Coordinates of all heavy atoms in Angstrom, one line a residue:
M1 N -18.5 -38.6 30.9 CA -17.7 -39.0 29.8 C -18.4 -40.3 29.2 O -19.0 -41.1 29.8 CB -16.3 -39.4 30.3 CG -15.4 -38.3 30.4 SD -13.7 -39.0 30.6 CE -13.2 -38.2 32.1
N2 N -18.2 -40.4 27.9 CA -18.7 -41.5 27.1 C -17.8 -42.6 27.2 O -16.7 -42.6 26.6 CB -18.9 -41.1 25.7 CG -19.7 -42.1 24.9 OD1 -19.6 -43.3 25.2 ND2 -20.5 -41.6 24.0
L3 N -18.1 -43.7 27.9 CA -17.2 -44.8 28.1 C -16.9 -45.6 26.8 O -15.8 -46.1 26.7 CB -17.8 -45.8 29.1 CG -17.9 -45.2 30.5 CD1 -18.6 -46.3 31.5 CD2 -16.6 -44.8 31.1
A4 N -17.8 -45.6 25.8 CA -17.5 -46.3 24.6 C -16.4 -45.5 23.8 O -15.5 -46.2 23.2 CB -18.8 -46.4 23.7
I5 N -16.4 -44.2 23.9 CA -15.4 -43.4 23.2 C -14.0 -43.7 23.9 O -13.1 -43.9 23.2 CB -15.7 -41.9 23.3 CG1 -17.0 -41.6 22.5 CG2 -14.5 -41.1 22.8 CD1 -16.9 -41.8 21.0
I6 N -14.0 -43.7 25.2 CA -12.8 -43.9 25.9 C -12.3 -45.3 25.6 O -11.1 -45.6 25.4 CB -13.0 -43.7 27.4 CG1 -13.3 -42.2 27.7 CG2 -11.8 -44.2 28.2 CD1 -13.7 -41.9 29.1
Y7 N -13.2 -46.3 25.6 CA -12.8 -47.7 25.3 C -12.1 -47.7 23.9 O -11.1 -48.4 23.7 CB -14.0 -48.6 25.3 CG -13.7 -50.0 24.8 CD1 -13.1 -50.9 25.7 CD2 -14.0 -50.4 23.5 CE1 -12.8 -52.2 25.3 CE2 -13.7 -51.7 23.1 CZ -13.1 -52.6 23.9 OH -12.8 -53.8 23.5
E8 N -12.7 -47.1 22.9 CA -12.2 -47.1 21.5 C -10.8 -46.4 21.5 O -9.9 -46.8 20.8 CB -13.1 -46.4 20.5 CG -14.3 -47.2 20.2 CD -13.9 -48.5 19.5 OE1 -12.9 -48.5 18.6 OE2 -14.5 -49.5 19.7
L9 N -10.6 -45.3 22.2 CA -9.3 -44.6 22.3 C -8.3 -45.5 22.9 O -7.2 -45.6 22.4 CB -9.5 -43.3 23.1 CG -10.3 -42.2 22.4 CD1 -10.6 -41.1 23.4 CD2 -9.7 -41.7 21.2
R10 N -8.6 -46.2 24.0 CA -7.7 -47.2 24.6 C -7.3 -48.3 23.7 O -6.2 -48.7 23.6 CB -8.2 -47.7 25.9 CG -8.3 -46.7 27.0 CD -8.9 -47.2 28.3 NE -8.8 -46.2 29.3 CZ -9.7 -46.2 30.4 NH1 -10.6 -47.2 30.5 NH2 -9.6 -45.3 31.3
A11 N -8.4 -48.8 23.0 CA -8.1 -49.9 22.1 C -7.2 -49.6 20.9 O -6.6 -50.4 20.3 CB -9.5 -50.5 21.6
N12 N -7.2 -48.3 20.6 CA -6.3 -47.8 19.5 C -5.0 -47.2 20.0 O -4.4 -46.4 19.4 CB -7.1 -46.8 18.7 CG -8.1 -47.4 17.8 OD1 -7.7 -48.0 16.7 ND2 -9.3 -47.5 18.2
D13 N -4.7 -47.6 21.2 CA -3.4 -47.2 21.9 C -3.2 -45.7 22.0 O -2.0 -45.2 21.9 CB -2.2 -47.8 21.1 CG -2.2 -49.3 21.1 OD1 -2.6 -49.9 22.1 OD2 -1.9 -49.9 20.0
V14 N -4.2 -45.0 22.3 CA -4.1 -43.6 22.7 C -3.7 -43.6 24.2 O -4.4 -44.2 25.0 CB -5.4 -42.8 22.5 CG1 -5.2 -41.4 22.9 CG2 -5.7 -42.9 20.9
S15 N -2.7 -42.8 24.6 CA -2.3 -42.8 25.9 C -3.3 -42.2 26.8 O -4.2 -41.3 26.4 CB -1.0 -42.0 26.1 OG -1.2 -40.6 25.9
E16 N -3.3 -42.6 28.1 CA -4.3 -42.1 29.1 C -4.2 -40.5 29.2 O -5.2 -39.9 29.4 CB -4.1 -42.7 30.5 CG -4.5 -44.2 30.5 CD -6.0 -44.5 30.2 OE1 -6.8 -43.6 30.7 OE2 -6.3 -45.4 29.6
E17 N -3.0 -40.0 29.2 CA -2.8 -38.6 29.3 C -3.5 -37.9 28.1 O -4.2 -36.9 28.3 CB -1.3 -38.3 29.3 CG -0.9 -36.8 29.3 CD 0.5 -36.6 29.2 OE1 1.3 -37.5 29.4 OE2 0.9 -35.4 29.0
H18 N -3.3 -38.4 26.9 CA -3.9 -37.8 25.7 C -5.5 -38.0 25.7 O -6.2 -37.1 25.3 CB -3.4 -38.4 24.5 CG -2.0 -37.9 24.2 ND1 -1.1 -38.6 23.4 CD2 -1.3 -36.7 24.6 CE1 0.1 -37.9 23.3 NE2 -0.1 -36.8 24.1
I19 N -5.9 -39.1 26.2 CA -7.4 -39.3 26.4 C -7.9 -38.2 27.3 O -9.0 -37.6 26.9 CB -7.7 -40.7 26.9 CG1 -7.3 -41.8 25.9 CG2 -9.2 -40.9 27.3 CD1 -7.5 -43.3 26.4
D20 N -7.3 -38.0 28.4 CA -7.8 -37.0 29.3 C -7.8 -35.6 28.7 O -8.7 -34.8 28.8 CB -7.0 -36.9 30.6 CG -7.2 -38.2 31.5 OD1 -8.2 -38.8 31.3 OD2 -6.3 -38.4 32.3
L21 N -6.7 -35.3 27.9 CA -6.6 -34.0 27.2 C -7.7 -33.9 26.2 O -8.3 -32.8 26.1 CB -5.2 -33.9 26.6 CG -4.9 -32.6 25.9 CD1 -5.0 -31.4 26.7 CD2 -3.5 -32.7 25.2
I22 N -7.9 -34.9 25.4 CA -8.9 -34.9 24.3 C -10.3 -34.7 24.9 O -11.1 -33.8 24.4 CB -8.9 -36.1 23.4 CG1 -7.6 -36.1 22.6 CG2 -10.1 -36.3 22.6 CD1 -7.3 -37.5 22.0
M23 N -10.6 -35.4 25.9 CA -11.9 -35.4 26.5 C -12.2 -34.0 27.2 O -13.3 -33.5 27.1 CB -12.1 -36.5 27.6 CG -12.1 -37.9 27.0 SD -13.1 -38.1 25.6 CE -14.7 -38.4 26.4
S24 N -11.2 -33.4 27.7 CA -11.3 -32.0 28.3 C -11.5 -31.0 27.1 O -12.2 -30.0 27.3 CB -10.2 -31.7 29.2 OG -8.9 -31.5 28.4
R25 N -10.8 -31.2 26.1 CA -11.0 -30.2 24.9 C -12.3 -30.3 24.2 O -12.7 -29.3 23.7 CB -9.8 -30.4 23.9 CG -8.5 -30.0 24.4 CD -7.4 -30.2 23.3 NE -6.1 -29.8 23.7 CZ -5.0 -30.0 22.9 NH1 -5.1 -30.6 21.8 NH2 -3.8 -29.5 23.4
V26 N -12.9 -31.4 24.2 CA -14.1 -31.6 23.4 C -15.4 -31.7 24.3 O -16.5 -31.9 23.8 CB -14.1 -32.9 22.4 CG1 -13.0 -32.7 21.5 CG2 -14.1 -34.2 23.3
K27 N -15.3 -31.4 25.6 CA -16.4 -31.6 26.5 C -17.6 -30.8 26.1 O -18.7 -31.2 26.3 CB -16.0 -31.3 27.9 CG -15.6 -29.9 28.2 CD -15.1 -29.7 29.6 CE -14.6 -28.3 29.8 NZ -14.1 -28.2 31.2
N28 N -17.4 -29.6 25.5 CA -18.5 -28.8 25.2 C -18.9 -28.9 23.7 O -19.9 -28.3 23.3 CB -18.2 -27.3 25.5 CG -18.0 -27.0 27.0 OD1 -18.7 -27.6 27.8 ND2 -17.2 -26.1 27.3
R29 N -18.2 -29.6 23.0 CA -18.5 -29.9 21.5 C -18.1 -31.3 21.2 O -17.3 -31.6 20.4 CB -17.7 -28.9 20.7 CG -16.2 -28.9 21.0 CD -15.5 -27.7 20.3 NE -14.1 -27.8 20.7 CZ -13.1 -28.5 20.0 NH1 -13.4 -29.2 19.0 NH2 -11.9 -28.5 20.4
F30 N -18.8 -32.2 21.9 CA -18.5 -33.7 21.9 C -19.1 -34.3 20.7 O -20.3 -34.7 20.6 CB -19.1 -34.3 23.2 CG -18.7 -35.7 23.4 CD1 -17.4 -35.9 24.0 CD2 -19.4 -36.8 23.1 CE1 -17.0 -37.2 24.2 CE2 -19.0 -38.0 23.3 CZ -17.8 -38.3 23.9
T31 N -18.3 -34.5 19.6 CA -18.7 -35.2 18.4 C -17.5 -36.1 18.0 O -16.4 -35.8 18.4 CB -19.0 -34.3 17.3 OG1 -17.9 -33.5 16.9 CG2 -20.2 -33.3 17.6
E32 N -17.8 -37.1 17.2 CA -16.7 -37.9 16.7 C -15.7 -37.2 15.8 O -14.5 -37.4 15.9 CB -17.3 -39.1 15.9 CG -18.1 -40.0 16.8 CD -18.9 -41.1 16.1 OE1 -19.0 -41.0 14.8 OE2 -19.2 -42.1 16.7
E33 N -16.3 -36.2 15.1 CA -15.4 -35.4 14.2 C -14.4 -34.6 15.0 O -13.2 -34.5 14.8 CB -16.2 -34.5 13.3 CG -17.0 -35.2 12.3 CD -18.3 -35.7 12.8 OE1 -18.8 -35.4 13.9 OE2 -19.0 -36.4 12.0
N34 N -14.9 -34.0 16.1 CA -14.0 -33.2 17.0 C -13.0 -34.0 17.7 O -11.9 -33.6 17.9 CB -14.9 -32.4 18.0 CG -15.6 -31.2 17.3 OD1 -15.2 -30.7 16.3 ND2 -16.7 -30.8 17.9
I35 N -13.4 -35.2 18.1 CA -12.4 -36.1 18.8 C -11.3 -36.5 17.8 O -10.1 -36.4 18.1 CB -13.2 -37.4 19.3 CG1 -14.1 -37.0 20.5 CG2 -12.1 -38.4 19.8 CD1 -15.0 -38.1 20.9
D36 N -11.7 -36.8 16.5 CA -10.7 -37.1 15.5 C -9.8 -35.9 15.2 O -8.6 -36.1 15.0 CB -11.4 -37.6 14.2 CG -11.7 -39.1 14.3 OD1 -11.2 -39.8 15.2 OD2 -12.4 -39.6 13.4
K37 N -10.3 -34.7 15.2 CA -9.5 -33.5 15.0 C -8.5 -33.4 16.1 O -7.3 -33.1 15.8 CB -10.4 -32.3 14.9 CG -11.2 -32.1 13.7 CD -12.0 -30.9 13.8 CE -13.0 -30.8 12.6 NZ -13.9 -29.6 12.6
E38 N -8.8 -33.7 17.3 CA -7.9 -33.6 18.4 C -6.9 -34.7 18.3 O -5.7 -34.5 18.6 CB -8.6 -33.7 19.8 CG -9.5 -32.5 20.0 CD -8.7 -31.1 20.0 OE1 -7.6 -31.1 20.5 OE2 -9.4 -30.1 19.6
L39 N -7.3 -35.9 17.9 CA -6.4 -37.0 17.7 C -5.3 -36.6 16.7 O -4.1 -36.9 17.0 CB -7.1 -38.3 17.3 CG -7.8 -39.0 18.3 CD1 -8.8 -40.0 17.7 CD2 -6.9 -39.7 19.3
V40 N -5.7 -36.1 15.6 CA -4.8 -35.7 14.5 C -3.8 -34.7 15.0 O -2.6 -34.7 14.8 CB -5.5 -35.2 13.3 CG1 -4.6 -34.6 12.3 CG2 -6.3 -36.4 12.7
K41 N -4.3 -33.7 15.8 CA -3.4 -32.7 16.4 C -2.3 -33.2 17.2 O -1.3 -32.7 17.3 CB -4.3 -31.7 17.2 CG -5.1 -30.7 16.5 CD -5.9 -29.8 17.4 CE -6.9 -29.0 16.7 NZ -7.7 -28.1 17.6
L42 N -2.7 -34.3 17.9 CA -1.7 -35.0 18.8 C -0.9 -36.1 18.1 O -0.1 -36.8 18.7 CB -2.5 -35.7 20.0 CG -3.1 -34.7 20.9 CD1 -4.0 -35.5 21.9 CD2 -2.1 -33.9 21.7
G43 N -1.0 -36.2 16.7 CA -0.2 -37.1 16.0 C -0.8 -38.5 15.8 O -0.1 -39.4 15.3
Y44 N -2.0 -38.7 16.1 CA -2.7 -40.0 16.0 C -3.5 -40.0 14.6 O -3.7 -39.0 14.1 CB -3.7 -40.3 17.1 CG -3.0 -40.5 18.5 CD1 -3.0 -39.4 19.4 CD2 -2.5 -41.7 18.8 CE1 -2.4 -39.6 20.6 CE2 -1.9 -41.9 20.1 CZ -1.9 -40.8 21.0 OH -1.3 -41.0 22.2
S45 N -3.8 -41.2 14.2 CA -4.7 -41.3 13.1 C -6.2 -41.1 13.5 O -6.5 -41.4 14.7 CB -4.6 -42.7 12.4 OG -3.3 -42.9 12.0
K46 N -7.0 -40.8 12.6 CA -8.5 -40.7 12.9 C -9.0 -42.1 13.3 O -8.6 -43.1 12.7 CB -9.3 -40.2 11.7 CG -9.0 -38.7 11.4 CD -9.8 -38.3 10.2 CE -9.5 -36.9 9.8 NZ -10.4 -36.5 8.6
I47 N -9.9 -42.1 14.2 CA -10.5 -43.4 14.6 C -12.0 -43.4 14.3 O -12.5 -44.5 13.9 CB -10.3 -43.6 16.1 CG1 -8.9 -43.7 16.5 CG2 -11.1 -44.8 16.7 CD1 -8.6 -43.7 18.0
F48 N -12.7 -42.4 14.4 CA -14.1 -42.4 14.3 C -14.8 -41.9 13.0 O -15.9 -42.2 12.8 CB -14.7 -41.5 15.5 CG -14.3 -42.0 16.9 CD1 -13.2 -41.3 17.5 CD2 -14.8 -43.1 17.5 CE1 -12.8 -41.8 18.8 CE2 -14.4 -43.6 18.7 CZ -13.4 -42.9 19.3
T49 N -14.0 -41.2 12.2 CA -14.5 -40.7 11.0 C -13.6 -41.1 9.8 O -12.5 -41.4 10.0 CB -14.7 -39.2 11.0 OG1 -13.4 -38.6 11.2 CG2 -15.7 -38.8 12.1
V50 N -14.2 -41.1 8.6 CA -13.5 -41.4 7.4 C -13.5 -40.2 6.5 O -14.6 -39.6 6.2 CB -14.0 -42.6 6.7 CG1 -13.3 -42.9 5.4 CG2 -13.9 -43.8 7.6
D51 N -12.4 -39.8 5.9 CA -12.4 -38.7 5.0 C -12.3 -39.3 3.6 O -11.2 -39.7 3.1 CB -11.2 -37.8 5.2 CG -11.2 -36.6 4.4 OD1 -12.2 -36.4 3.6 OD2 -10.2 -35.8 4.5
Y52 N -13.5 -39.4 2.9 CA -13.5 -40.1 1.7 C -12.8 -39.3 0.6 O -12.4 -39.8 -0.5 CB -15.0 -40.3 1.2 CG -15.6 -41.3 2.1 CD1 -16.6 -40.9 3.1 CD2 -15.4 -42.7 1.9 CE1 -17.2 -41.9 3.9 CE2 -16.0 -43.6 2.7 CZ -16.9 -43.2 3.7 OH -17.5 -44.2 4.5
D53 N -12.5 -38.0 0.8 CA -11.7 -37.2 -0.2 C -10.3 -37.8 -0.3 O -9.6 -37.5 -1.3 CB -11.7 -35.7 0.2 CG -13.1 -35.2 0.0 OD1 -13.9 -35.7 -0.8 OD2 -13.4 -34.1 0.7
E54 N -9.8 -38.4 0.8 CA -8.5 -38.9 0.8 C -8.3 -40.1 -0.1 O -7.2 -40.5 -0.5 CB -8.0 -39.3 2.2 CG -7.9 -38.2 3.1 CD -7.5 -38.6 4.5 OE1 -7.3 -39.8 4.8 OE2 -7.4 -37.7 5.4
F55 N -9.4 -40.7 -0.4 CA -9.4 -41.9 -1.3 C -9.8 -41.5 -2.8 O -10.9 -41.5 -3.2 CB -10.5 -43.0 -0.9 CG -10.2 -43.5 0.5 CD1 -11.0 -43.1 1.6 CD2 -9.2 -44.3 0.8 CE1 -10.7 -43.5 2.9 CE2 -8.9 -44.8 2.0 CZ -9.7 -44.4 3.1
D56 N -8.7 -41.1 -3.5 CA -8.9 -40.6 -4.8 C -8.9 -41.7 -5.9 O -9.3 -41.5 -7.0 CB -8.0 -39.5 -5.2 CG -6.5 -40.0 -5.1 OD1 -6.3 -41.1 -4.6 OD2 -5.6 -39.2 -5.5
N57 N -8.4 -42.9 -5.5 CA -8.3 -43.9 -6.5 C -8.9 -45.2 -5.8 O -8.3 -45.9 -5.0 CB -6.8 -44.2 -6.8 CG -6.7 -45.3 -7.8 OD1 -7.7 -45.7 -8.5 ND2 -5.5 -45.8 -8.1
Y58 N -10.1 -45.5 -6.3 CA -10.8 -46.7 -5.8 C -10.3 -47.9 -6.7 O -10.8 -48.1 -7.8 CB -12.3 -46.5 -5.9 CG -12.8 -45.5 -5.0 CD1 -13.2 -44.2 -5.5 CD2 -13.0 -45.8 -3.7 CE1 -13.6 -43.3 -4.5 CE2 -13.5 -44.9 -2.8 CZ -13.8 -43.6 -3.2 OH -14.3 -42.7 -2.3
D59 N -9.4 -48.6 -6.2 CA -8.8 -49.7 -7.0 C -9.6 -51.0 -6.6 O -9.1 -51.9 -5.8 CB -7.3 -49.8 -6.6 CG -6.6 -50.8 -7.5 OD1 -7.1 -51.1 -8.6 OD2 -5.5 -51.3 -7.1
F60 N -10.7 -51.2 -7.2 CA -11.5 -52.4 -6.9 C -11.1 -53.5 -7.7 O -10.7 -53.3 -8.9 CB -13.0 -52.1 -7.2 CG -13.6 -51.1 -6.2 CD1 -14.1 -49.9 -6.7 CD2 -13.8 -51.5 -4.9 CE1 -14.6 -49.0 -5.8 CE2 -14.4 -50.6 -4.0 CZ -14.7 -49.3 -4.5
D61 N -11.1 -54.7 -7.2 CA -10.8 -55.9 -8.0 C -12.1 -56.5 -8.6 O -12.9 -57.1 -7.9 CB -10.2 -57.0 -7.0 CG -9.8 -58.2 -7.8 OD1 -9.9 -58.2 -9.0 OD2 -9.3 -59.1 -7.1
D62 N -12.4 -56.1 -9.8 CA -13.6 -56.5 -10.5 C -13.7 -58.0 -10.7 O -14.8 -58.5 -10.9 CB -13.7 -55.8 -11.9 CG -13.9 -54.3 -11.8 OD1 -14.4 -53.9 -10.7 OD2 -13.5 -53.6 -12.7
D63 N -12.6 -58.7 -10.6 CA -12.6 -60.1 -10.7 C -12.7 -60.9 -9.4 O -12.6 -62.0 -9.3 CB -11.3 -60.6 -11.4 CG -11.2 -60.1 -12.8 OD1 -12.3 -59.9 -13.5 OD2 -10.2 -59.9 -13.3
Y64 N -13.0 -60.1 -8.3 CA -13.1 -60.7 -7.0 C -14.1 -61.8 -7.0 O -15.2 -61.6 -7.4 CB -13.4 -59.6 -5.9 CG -13.5 -60.2 -4.5 CD1 -12.4 -60.5 -3.8 CD2 -14.8 -60.5 -4.0 CE1 -12.5 -61.0 -2.5 CE2 -14.9 -61.0 -2.7 CZ -13.7 -61.3 -2.0 OH -13.8 -61.8 -0.7
G65 N -13.8 -62.9 -6.5 CA -14.7 -64.1 -6.4 C -14.8 -64.9 -7.6 O -15.4 -66.0 -7.6
S66 N -14.1 -64.6 -8.7 CA -14.2 -65.4 -9.9 C -12.8 -66.0 -10.1 O -12.5 -66.3 -11.3 CB -14.5 -64.5 -11.1 OG -13.5 -63.5 -11.3
H67 N -12.1 -66.3 -9.1 CA -10.8 -67.0 -9.2 C -10.8 -68.5 -9.1 O -9.9 -69.1 -8.8 CB -9.8 -66.4 -8.2 CG -9.6 -64.9 -8.3 ND1 -8.9 -64.4 -9.4 CD2 -10.0 -63.9 -7.5 CE1 -8.9 -63.1 -9.2 NE2 -9.5 -62.8 -8.1
G68 N -12.0 -69.0 -9.4 CA -12.1 -70.5 -9.4 C -12.3 -71.1 -7.9 O -12.3 -72.3 -7.8
H69 N -12.4 -70.3 -7.0 CA -12.7 -70.7 -5.6 C -14.2 -70.8 -5.4 O -14.8 -69.8 -5.2 CB -12.0 -69.8 -4.6 CG -10.5 -69.7 -4.8 ND1 -9.6 -70.7 -4.6 CD2 -9.8 -68.7 -5.2 CE1 -8.4 -70.3 -4.8 NE2 -8.5 -69.1 -5.2
K70 N -14.6 -72.0 -5.3 CA -16.1 -72.2 -5.0 C -16.3 -72.8 -3.7 O -15.4 -73.7 -3.3 CB -16.8 -73.0 -6.2 CG -16.7 -72.2 -7.5 CD -17.5 -72.9 -8.5 CE -17.5 -72.1 -9.8 NZ -18.3 -72.6 -10.8
G71 N -17.3 -72.5 -3.1 CA -17.6 -73.1 -1.7 C -17.9 -74.6 -1.8 O -18.3 -75.1 -2.9
N72 N -17.7 -75.3 -0.8 CA -18.0 -76.7 -0.7 C -19.4 -76.9 -0.3 O -19.8 -76.5 0.8 CB -17.0 -77.3 0.3 CG -17.1 -78.9 0.3 OD1 -18.1 -79.4 -0.3 ND2 -16.2 -79.5 1.0
N73 N -20.2 -77.5 -1.1 CA -21.7 -77.6 -0.8 C -22.0 -79.0 -0.2 O -23.2 -79.4 -0.1 CB -22.5 -77.4 -2.0 CG -22.4 -75.9 -2.5 OD1 -22.2 -75.0 -1.7 ND2 -22.5 -75.7 -3.8
E74 N -21.0 -79.7 0.2 CA -21.3 -81.1 0.8 C -22.0 -80.9 2.2 O -21.6 -80.0 2.9 CB -20.0 -81.8 1.0 CG -19.3 -82.2 -0.3 CD -18.1 -83.0 -0.1 OE1 -17.9 -83.5 1.0 OE2 -17.3 -83.1 -1.0
E75 N -22.8 -81.8 2.5 CA -23.5 -81.7 3.8 C -22.6 -82.3 4.9 O -21.8 -83.2 4.6 CB -24.8 -82.6 3.8 CG -25.9 -82.0 2.9 CD -27.2 -82.8 3.1 OE1 -27.4 -83.4 4.1 OE2 -28.0 -82.7 2.2
I76 N -22.7 -81.7 6.0 CA -21.8 -82.2 7.1 C -22.7 -83.0 8.1 O -23.8 -82.5 8.5 CB -21.3 -80.9 7.9 CG1 -20.4 -80.1 6.9 CG2 -20.5 -81.4 9.1 CD1 -19.9 -78.9 7.5
D77 N -22.3 -84.2 8.5 CA -23.1 -85.0 9.3 C -22.8 -84.6 10.8 O -21.8 -84.4 11.2 CB -22.8 -86.5 9.2 CG -23.3 -86.9 7.8 OD1 -24.4 -86.5 7.4 OD2 -22.7 -87.8 7.2

């Protein structure tokens, strides 16, 4: 088993029972995409992949950084 994957699943509050189930289901097709598919089947959000098609509206703040907040350039002793 990949300990980094298990660590991430635990860090995202996936139950130990579900971690065991997911790992057994993907053992022969172990990819991040397949793990996320199993997570979604169990009612969790994806952890390892991003579906960019879900983001249909990129609401960027074009004025970011121009709100008059400038860094302090004073030297620190």
Side-chain angles (χ1 to χ4, degrees):
M1 276 197 237
N2 189 329
L3 294 178
I5 297 291
I6 293 172
Y7 174 82
E8 285 297 323
L9 292 169
R10 287 178 179 156
N12 284 278
D13 296 323
V14 177
S15 72
E16 289 296 321
E17 178 184 346
H18 286 158
I19 290 172
D20 292 338
L21 180 62
I22 291 167
M23 298 308 278
S24 70
R25 287 182 178 174
V26 300
K27 65 182 175 187
N28 295 328
R29 50 188 181 90
F30 192 79
T31 65
E32 292 174 342
E33 291 84 8
N34 287 336
I35 294 169
D36 275 348
K37 286 178 186 177
E38 295 300 327
L39 283 167
V40 171
K41 287 179 188 177
L42 294 170
Y44 295 97
S45 298
K46 292 179 181 181
I47 297 173
F48 301 102
T49 60
V50 176
D51 186 4
Y52 291 104
D53 292 335
E54 292 178 3
F55 299 106
D56 59 351
N57 183 11
Y58 293 101
D59 189 21
F60 293 113
D61 184 3
D62 292 334
D63 295 329
Y64 180 77
S66 64
H67 297 291
H69 301 290
K70 295 188 177 186
N72 186 351
N73 294 328
E74 293 179 19
E75 289 186 27
I76 300 174
D77 290 326

